[in-house]
Amino acid sequence: MRVFGVTGWKNSGKTGLMERLVAEITGLGFTVSTLKHAHHMFDVDHKGKDSYRHREAGASQVILASRNRWAVMSELRGAEEPSLADLLGKLDPVDLVLIEGYKREGHDKIEAHRAATGQPLIAPGDETIVAVASDSAPEVSVPVLHLDDTAAIADFILARVGL
């Protein structure tokens, strides 16, 4: 399974780029899954729902299934956060997994960058960043693509991962 990351600082356009890339790449006939790291507490369930009540009662895992989709929720209950490799191993096989976040992991990444945020580029100090997608023209030693040119970014990623 091929993996490629989208990284950058908060409000740099990562999620929008991920969304556009999934649509673009699946539109080309490839299968894509995504994996996103969250630095904060999150919940995909809602208080009062049966599955929420199961987790609150102490279930280690809850699978919620319907004819349209299924989801598994695993409670860590104090255990270590799973590694990226462990999480990738839980995905069904696809052509490409796009990873949002995980700045410090060793896979290839494109950095999303918006000049208006005032944040410095990560790319100059990180050899895993193999391109920058920006709304400006930063001077870096890796290719720079326009943040809104989804087709060019998708082409770059697909060539980089060999698809």
Side-chain angles (χ1 to χ4, degrees):
M1 199 158 38
R2 294 166 173 96
V3 301
F4 195 91
V6 174
T7 194
W9 300 114
K10 184 178 180 180
N11 296 321
S12 63
K14 297 181 304 292
T15 301
L17 178 57
M18 287 278 292
E19 181 180 14
R20 294 189 317 271
L21 286 170
V22 169
E24 180 76 20
I25 295 169
T26 59
L28 295 171
F30 295 103
T31 55
V32 177
S33 289
T34 65
L35 198 157
K36 179 186 173 17
H37 188 260
H39 292 283
H40 48 80
M41 291 289 294
F42 72 92
D43 205 334
V44 295
D45 211 357
H46 302 286
K47 190 173 185 172
K49 295 293 184 183
D50 293 350
S51 52
Y52 183 94
R53 292 171 60 192
H54 297 180
R55 287 188 306 117
E56 288 297 303
S60 296
Q61 287 189 308
V62 175
I63 293 179
L64 183 60
S66 75
R67 68 183 199 163
N68 296 318
R69 74 187 52 86
W70 68 273
V72 61
M73 293 171 279
S74 297
E75 292 295 316
L76 295 178
R77 305 219 185 273
E80 288 278 322
E81 180 179 347
S83 70
L84 177 58
D86 289 341
L87 294 170
L88 287 169
K90 294 181 184 304
L91 291 173
D92 292 339
V94 292
D95 296 316
L96 177 65
V97 178
L98 290 173
I99 300 170
E100 183 177 343
Y102 287 95
K103 283 184 191 79
R104 291 167 184 75
E105 294 289 334
H107 59 279
D108 285 352
K109 302 169 194 75
I110 190 165
E111 178 179 358
H113 175 260
R114 288 192 195 283
T117 67
Q119 292 284 1
L121 283 166
I122 302 167
D126 187 337
E127 63 187 35
T128 67
I129 295 176
V130 296
V132 172
S134 181
D135 60 359
S136 63
E139 292 187 26
V140 290
S141 62
V142 296
V144 176
L145 303 152
H146 196 279
L147 186 57
D148 294 330
D149 192 349
T150 307
I153 296 167
D155 289 345
F156 177 87
I157 291 169
L158 293 172
R160 183 76 187 196
V161 301
L163 288 175

